[in-house]
């Protein structure tokens, strides 16, 4: 289980290591201990705390600093999606994802790979492709083997399939993969992924399945069937794109628990908390409560191994994108850090819950 953290020791050159005690002694009287970062508190609770990162933002030194200080897991916001990695048939471009992997390794962060199979971010050669079932299976196989083969030993977790379930929970949604291969495209992706990297933890990831909804039931039935039939799956990702006041801790905890009873991990994979209009202190406090409730639901269950937010700071949230049909609010502040990288009430709420639970 990923819950047991093993952070590699920093490799400090001998001379520098020898000088460190003196440096610490000199500082001891003048500098108070810095407050523990989220990643330290998460570690005390045996979970990871992560953020989705867009590689271009690594050029921003302040972003960089907050990310490496506070988080010990990183999800590529886009860089590992199909259309980024294999924009043309057989021609892979790993350059952007490699940047994120290098950053994560340099900062002792695990990587939550996202994602191998999705109905969005598909290049035309797949989305418009006229492949037979066997040809499409070959395309799927080759993509998964190439990507997992390259990152074997460096990317510990993969969202193998993202958002395959219909919103009503009445069955799989229509996607080019389903059209070309059939309903078993989901399990075939898991089988290929396990063959390609038997050590990777393989997740199914989706939205609106956090609490005990009809869609959550449909996801549960699907993964229960996989477990029964030996389809290699290790966990379920609960995306957690919430709207203010929408976190039902008891129901989410119940869902995490039943997945745990199947032997599956759960990770909160894409948490953010949106609202309409301008933020007020009351809104930010309610948002803090949402974050606290969700973290609480995670900590209550030993199979919940990570809590990942969809971004680091409000200035870069995808929710300010003007082309989102379902949501429009350029003032939204859905994350833990504000536009100037200052921690928000939601940050403090996580510190409080993690501290209390560790103690
Ligand atoms: C979904 C996907 C993510 C991302 C977000 C919005 O949740 O899983 O990769 O695209 O939407 O940015």
């Amino acid at each position: 289980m990923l819950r047991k953290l093993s952070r590699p020791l920093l490799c400090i050159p001998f001379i520098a290591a020898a000088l460190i005690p003196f440096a610490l002694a000199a500082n001891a009287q003048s500098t108070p201990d810095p407050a523990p970062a989220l990643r330290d508190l998460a570690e005390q609770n045996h979970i990871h705390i992560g953020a989705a990162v867009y590689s271009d933002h690594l050029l921003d030194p302040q972003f960089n600093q907050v990310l490496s200080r506070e988080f010990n897991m990183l999800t590529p916001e886009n860089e590992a999606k199909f259309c980024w990695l294999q924009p043309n048939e057989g021609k892979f471009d790993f350059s952007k994802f490699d940047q994120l992997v290098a950053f994560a390794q340099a900062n002792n962060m695990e990587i939550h790979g996202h994602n191998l199979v999705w109905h969005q971010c598909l290049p035309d050669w797949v989305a418009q492709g006229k492949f037979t079932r066997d040809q499409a299976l070959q395309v799927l196989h080759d993509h998964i083997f190439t990507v997992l083969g390259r990152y074997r030993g460096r990317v510990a977790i993969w969202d193998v399939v993202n958002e395959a379930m219909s919103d009503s929970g009445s069955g799989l949604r229509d996607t080019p993969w389903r059209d070309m291969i059939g309903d078993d495209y989901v399990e075939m992706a898991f089988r290929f992924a396990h063959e390609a990297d038997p050590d990777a933890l393989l997740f199914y990831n989706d939205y609106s399945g956090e609490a005990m909804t009809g869609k959550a039931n449909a996801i549960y039935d699907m993964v229960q069937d996989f477990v029964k039939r030996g389809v290699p799956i290790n966990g379920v990702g609960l995306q957690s794109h919430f709207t203010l006041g929408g976190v039902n801790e008891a129901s989410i905890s119940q869902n995490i628990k039943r997945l745990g009873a199947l032997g599956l991990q759960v990770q909160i994979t894409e948490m953010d908390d949106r609202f309409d209009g301008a933020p007020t202190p009351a809104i930010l406090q309610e948002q803090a409560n949402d974050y606290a409730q969700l973290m609480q639901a995670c900590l209550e269950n030993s199979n919940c191994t990570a809590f990942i937010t969809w971004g680091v700071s409000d200035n870069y949230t995808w929710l300010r994108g003007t082309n989102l049909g379902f949501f429009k609010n350029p003032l939204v502040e859905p994350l833990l850090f504000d536009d100037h990288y200052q921690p928000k009430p939601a940050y403090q709420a996580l510190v409080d819950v993690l501290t209390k639970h560790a103690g």
Side-chain angles (χ1 to χ4, degrees), residues 113-143:
H114 173 81
N115 54 57
L116 297 168
V117 182
W118 191 28
H119 59 284
Q120 292 187 35
C121 197
L122 274 179
D124 282 353
W125 71 268
V126 179
Q128 319 290 336
K130 299 274 172 276
F131 297 108
T132 64
R133 172 180 158 88
D134 283 351
Q135 288 167 335
L137 279 170
Q138 193 66 47
V139 169
L140 190 67
H141 171 277
D142 292 353
H143 184 79

Tab-separated table of all heavy atoms in Angstrom, residues 113-143:
chain	number	residue	atom	x	y	z
A	113	GLY	N	0.568	9.563	-11.993
A	113	GLY	CA	0.468	9.698	-13.451
A	113	GLY	C	-0.987	9.811	-13.896
A	113	GLY	O	-1.844	9.063	-13.446
A	114	HIS	N	-1.246	10.775	-14.784
A	114	HIS	CA	-2.638	11.071	-15.167
A	114	HIS	C	-2.649	11.499	-16.619
A	114	HIS	O	-2.030	12.506	-16.920
A	114	HIS	CB	-3.151	12.177	-14.252
A	114	HIS	CG	-4.493	12.722	-14.607
A	114	HIS	ND1	-5.661	12.114	-14.259
A	114	HIS	CD2	-4.854	13.845	-15.295
A	114	HIS	CE1	-6.679	12.841	-14.682
A	114	HIS	NE2	-6.225	13.888	-15.330
A	115	ASN	N	-3.283	10.863	-17.527
A	115	ASN	CA	-3.928	9.572	-17.456
A	115	ASN	C	-3.659	8.833	-18.767
A	115	ASN	O	-3.285	9.457	-19.763
A	115	ASN	CB	-5.460	9.746	-17.248
A	115	ASN	CG	-6.071	10.649	-18.319
A	115	ASN	OD1	-5.961	10.380	-19.533
A	115	ASN	ND2	-6.706	11.739	-17.920
A	116	LEU	N	-3.909	7.539	-18.809
A	116	LEU	CA	-3.588	6.780	-20.019
A	116	LEU	C	-4.748	6.727	-21.009
A	116	LEU	O	-4.531	6.772	-22.220
A	116	LEU	CB	-3.170	5.354	-19.623
A	116	LEU	CG	-1.896	5.301	-18.752
A	116	LEU	CD1	-1.709	3.924	-18.153
A	116	LEU	CD2	-0.676	5.705	-19.573
A	117	VAL	N	-5.952	6.602	-20.502
A	117	VAL	CA	-7.122	6.429	-21.384
A	117	VAL	C	-8.235	7.379	-20.948
A	117	VAL	O	-8.670	7.346	-19.789
A	117	VAL	CB	-7.645	4.971	-21.305
A	117	VAL	CG1	-8.820	4.774	-22.249
A	117	VAL	CG2	-6.535	3.981	-21.643
A	118	TRP	N	-8.660	8.215	-21.876
A	118	TRP	CA	-9.700	9.225	-21.584
A	118	TRP	C	-10.375	9.548	-22.902
A	118	TRP	O	-9.776	9.384	-23.973
A	118	TRP	CB	-9.031	10.471	-20.985
A	118	TRP	CG	-9.929	11.508	-20.378
A	118	TRP	CD1	-11.153	11.333	-19.819
A	118	TRP	CD2	-9.617	12.915	-20.240
A	118	TRP	NE1	-11.632	12.539	-19.335
A	118	TRP	CE2	-10.705	13.519	-19.581
A	118	TRP	CE3	-8.526	13.714	-20.610
A	118	TRP	CZ2	-10.753	14.881	-19.283
A	118	TRP	CZ3	-8.561	15.065	-20.312
A	118	TRP	CH2	-9.659	15.643	-19.647
A	119	HIS	N	-11.632	10.059	-22.829
A	119	HIS	CA	-12.300	10.411	-24.091
A	119	HIS	C	-11.927	11.817	-24.538
A	119	HIS	O	-12.237	12.212	-25.659
A	119	HIS	CB	-13.826	10.272	-23.957
A	119	HIS	CG	-14.407	11.137	-22.881
A	119	HIS	ND1	-14.288	10.834	-21.543
A	119	HIS	CD2	-15.115	12.283	-22.951
A	119	HIS	CE1	-14.906	11.762	-20.831
A	119	HIS	NE2	-15.408	12.657	-21.659
A	120	GLN	N	-11.278	12.594	-23.654
A	120	GLN	CA	-10.814	13.923	-24.072
A	120	GLN	C	-9.309	13.873	-24.318
A	120	GLN	O	-8.640	12.920	-23.945
A	120	GLN	CB	-11.129	14.953	-22.994
A	120	GLN	CG	-12.631	15.193	-22.845
A	120	GLN	CD	-12.929	16.338	-21.887
A	120	GLN	OE1	-12.214	17.320	-21.814
A	120	GLN	NE2	-14.007	16.194	-21.142
A	121	CYS	N	-8.802	14.953	-24.899
A	121	CYS	CA	-7.372	15.024	-25.210
A	121	CYS	C	-6.922	13.812	-26.032
A	121	CYS	O	-5.882	13.222	-25.786
A	121	CYS	CB	-6.539	15.131	-23.938
A	121	CYS	SG	-4.842	15.691	-24.203
A	122	LEU	N	-7.766	13.465	-26.985
A	122	LEU	CA	-7.388	12.408	-27.927
A	122	LEU	C	-6.983	13.067	-29.243
A	122	LEU	O	-7.726	13.895	-29.772
A	122	LEU	CB	-8.579	11.486	-28.200
A	122	LEU	CG	-8.802	10.330	-27.241
A	122	LEU	CD1	-10.039	9.547	-27.659
A	122	LEU	CD2	-7.585	9.422	-27.196
A	123	PRO	N	-5.836	12.733	-29.782
A	123	PRO	CA	-5.467	13.312	-31.081
A	123	PRO	C	-6.415	12.809	-32.176
A	123	PRO	O	-7.023	11.740	-32.035
A	123	PRO	CB	-4.036	12.803	-31.308
A	123	PRO	CG	-3.885	11.621	-30.411
A	123	PRO	CD	-4.844	11.787	-29.263
A	124	ASP	N	-6.542	13.590	-33.225
A	124	ASP	CA	-7.468	13.212	-34.316
A	124	ASP	C	-7.198	11.816	-34.865
A	124	ASP	O	-8.129	11.113	-35.251
A	124	ASP	CB	-7.354	14.223	-35.475
A	124	ASP	CG	-8.110	15.499	-35.132
A	124	ASP	OD1	-8.791	15.515	-34.086
A	124	ASP	OD2	-7.975	16.478	-35.906
A	125	TRP	N	-5.917	11.457	-34.884
A	125	TRP	CA	-5.631	10.146	-35.507
A	125	TRP	C	-6.270	9.002	-34.724
A	125	TRP	O	-6.528	7.941	-35.290
A	125	TRP	CB	-4.125	9.944	-35.719
A	125	TRP	CG	-3.291	9.715	-34.473
A	125	TRP	CD1	-2.662	10.653	-33.731
A	125	TRP	CD2	-2.994	8.460	-33.863
A	125	TRP	NE1	-1.999	10.066	-32.676
A	125	TRP	CE2	-2.178	8.725	-32.736
A	125	TRP	CE3	-3.330	7.127	-34.135
A	125	TRP	CZ2	-1.691	7.721	-31.899
A	125	TRP	CZ3	-2.847	6.120	-33.301
A	125	TRP	CH2	-2.039	6.421	-32.200
A	126	VAL	N	-6.586	9.249	-33.429
A	126	VAL	CA	-7.321	8.234	-32.662
A	126	VAL	C	-8.822	8.542	-32.707
A	126	VAL	O	-9.640	7.682	-33.045
A	126	VAL	CB	-6.866	8.189	-31.189
A	126	VAL	CG1	-7.673	7.138	-30.424
A	126	VAL	CG2	-5.379	7.880	-31.082
A	127	ALA	N	-9.159	9.810	-32.378
A	127	ALA	CA	-10.580	10.166	-32.264
A	127	ALA	C	-11.325	9.955	-33.580
A	127	ALA	O	-12.483	9.534	-33.588
A	127	ALA	CB	-10.712	11.607	-31.797
A	128	GLN	N	-10.661	10.263	-34.704
A	128	GLN	CA	-11.303	10.101	-36.021
A	128	GLN	C	-10.865	8.807	-36.704
A	128	GLN	O	-11.203	8.566	-37.858
A	128	GLN	CB	-10.936	11.255	-36.977
A	128	GLN	CG	-10.896	12.643	-36.380
A	128	GLN	CD	-12.281	13.145	-36.031
A	128	GLN	OE1	-13.255	12.700	-36.599
A	128	GLN	NE2	-12.350	14.048	-35.067
A	129	GLY	N	-10.041	8.046	-35.987
A	129	GLY	CA	-9.448	6.846	-36.623
A	129	GLY	C	-10.503	5.802	-36.944
A	129	GLY	O	-11.482	5.645	-36.226
A	130	LYS	N	-10.283	5.115	-38.022
A	130	LYS	CA	-11.233	4.047	-38.396
A	130	LYS	C	-10.552	2.702	-38.131
A	130	LYS	O	-10.222	1.964	-39.044
A	130	LYS	CB	-11.614	4.161	-39.885
A	130	LYS	CG	-12.299	5.479	-40.227
A	130	LYS	CD	-13.810	5.407	-39.983
A	130	LYS	CE	-14.486	6.753	-40.131
A	130	LYS	NZ	-14.443	7.606	-38.920
A	131	PHE	N	-10.296	2.435	-36.863
A	131	PHE	CA	-9.587	1.208	-36.515
A	131	PHE	C	-10.559	0.070	-36.249
A	131	PHE	O	-11.634	0.273	-35.686
A	131	PHE	CB	-8.729	1.431	-35.261
A	131	PHE	CG	-7.629	2.447	-35.428
A	131	PHE	CD1	-7.704	3.691	-34.817
A	131	PHE	CD2	-6.508	2.154	-36.202
A	131	PHE	CE1	-6.685	4.620	-34.966
A	131	PHE	CE2	-5.480	3.085	-36.352
A	131	PHE	CZ	-5.567	4.321	-35.741
A	132	THR	N	-10.160	-1.133	-36.621
A	132	THR	CA	-10.922	-2.313	-36.194
A	132	THR	C	-10.644	-2.528	-34.709
A	132	THR	O	-9.722	-1.922	-34.146
A	132	THR	CB	-10.452	-3.568	-36.953
A	132	THR	OG1	-9.075	-3.809	-36.591
A	132	THR	CG2	-10.569	-3.400	-38.459
A	133	ARG	N	-11.399	-3.429	-34.092
A	133	ARG	CA	-11.163	-3.719	-32.661
A	133	ARG	C	-9.708	-4.122	-32.427
A	133	ARG	O	-9.043	-3.610	-31.535
A	133	ARG	CB	-12.118	-4.840	-32.207
A	133	ARG	CG	-11.809	-5.348	-30.806
A	133	ARG	CD	-12.774	-6.460	-30.381
A	133	ARG	NE	-12.208	-7.279	-29.314
A	133	ARG	CZ	-12.324	-7.016	-28.009
A	133	ARG	NH1	-12.986	-5.964	-27.591
A	133	ARG	NH2	-11.776	-7.811	-27.101
A	134	ASP	N	-9.204	-5.026	-33.228
A	134	ASP	CA	-7.832	-5.500	-33.011
A	134	ASP	C	-6.807	-4.383	-33.199
A	134	ASP	O	-5.840	-4.279	-32.453
A	134	ASP	CB	-7.504	-6.662	-33.960
A	134	ASP	CG	-8.144	-7.946	-33.463
A	134	ASP	OD1	-8.676	-7.942	-32.332
A	134	ASP	OD2	-8.128	-8.948	-34.212
A	135	GLN	N	-7.050	-3.560	-34.199
A	135	GLN	CA	-6.107	-2.448	-34.422
A	135	GLN	C	-6.154	-1.456	-33.260
A	135	GLN	O	-5.119	-0.965	-32.796
A	135	GLN	CB	-6.446	-1.724	-35.735
A	135	GLN	CG	-6.114	-2.520	-36.984
A	135	GLN	CD	-6.749	-1.909	-38.230
A	135	GLN	OE1	-7.771	-1.204	-38.163
A	135	GLN	NE2	-6.162	-2.194	-39.389
A	136	ALA	N	-7.369	-1.172	-32.783
A	136	ALA	CA	-7.501	-0.216	-31.669
A	136	ALA	C	-6.863	-0.779	-30.406
A	136	ALA	O	-6.216	-0.052	-29.645
A	136	ALA	CB	-8.977	0.115	-31.429
A	137	LEU	N	-7.024	-2.082	-30.190
A	137	LEU	CA	-6.368	-2.703	-29.031
A	137	LEU	C	-4.850	-2.586	-29.150
A	137	LEU	O	-4.147	-2.372	-28.159
A	137	LEU	CB	-6.771	-4.185	-28.918
A	137	LEU	CG	-8.128	-4.441	-28.259
A	137	LEU	CD1	-8.540	-5.912	-28.424
A	137	LEU	CD2	-8.099	-4.076	-26.768
A	138	GLN	N	-4.368	-2.697	-30.369
A	138	GLN	CA	-2.920	-2.560	-30.590
A	138	GLN	C	-2.456	-1.126	-30.265
A	138	GLN	O	-1.413	-0.928	-29.640
A	138	GLN	CB	-2.592	-2.914	-32.055
A	138	GLN	CG	-1.104	-3.123	-32.329
A	138	GLN	CD	-0.542	-4.347	-31.601
A	138	GLN	OE1	-1.152	-5.420	-31.639
A	138	GLN	NE2	0.584	-4.186	-30.927
A	139	VAL	N	-3.252	-0.158	-30.690
A	139	VAL	CA	-2.923	1.244	-30.412
A	139	VAL	C	-2.878	1.476	-28.887
A	139	VAL	O	-1.943	2.079	-28.343
A	139	VAL	CB	-3.965	2.197	-31.057
A	139	VAL	CG1	-3.798	3.632	-30.561
A	139	VAL	CG2	-3.862	2.138	-32.580
A	140	LEU	N	-3.896	0.962	-28.210
A	140	LEU	CA	-3.976	1.099	-26.751
A	140	LEU	C	-2.774	0.423	-26.090
A	140	LEU	O	-2.096	0.996	-25.225
A	140	LEU	CB	-5.283	0.435	-26.283
A	140	LEU	CG	-5.724	0.639	-24.851
A	140	LEU	CD1	-6.087	2.098	-24.619
A	140	LEU	CD2	-6.946	-0.242	-24.545
A	141	HIS	N	-2.513	-0.791	-26.501
A	141	HIS	CA	-1.393	-1.568	-25.967
A	141	HIS	C	-0.071	-0.833	-26.169
A	141	HIS	O	0.726	-0.662	-25.242
A	141	HIS	CB	-1.371	-2.934	-26.670
A	141	HIS	CG	-0.158	-3.757	-26.367
A	141	HIS	ND1	1.038	-3.590	-27.047
A	141	HIS	CD2	0.061	-4.742	-25.461
A	141	HIS	CE1	1.938	-4.438	-26.566
A	141	HIS	NE2	1.363	-5.147	-25.599
A	142	ASP	N	0.152	-0.353	-27.379
A	142	ASP	CA	1.446	0.268	-27.680
A	142	ASP	C	1.624	1.572	-26.901
A	142	ASP	O	2.720	1.864	-26.424
A	142	ASP	CB	1.572	0.536	-29.194
A	142	ASP	CG	1.668	-0.768	-29.974
A	142	ASP	OD1	1.774	-1.842	-29.332
A	142	ASP	OD2	1.605	-0.727	-31.219
A	143	HIS	N	0.536	2.336	-26.771
A	143	HIS	CA	0.639	3.585	-26.004
A	143	HIS	C	1.004	3.274	-24.543
A	143	HIS	O	1.948	3.845	-23.988
A	143	HIS	CB	-0.681	4.357	-26.066
A	143	HIS	CG	-0.605	5.681	-25.379
A	143	HIS	ND1	-0.025	6.786	-25.960
A	143	HIS	CD2	-1.001	6.074	-24.132
A	143	HIS	CE1	-0.071	7.806	-25.112
A	143	HIS	NE2	-0.662	7.399	-24.005
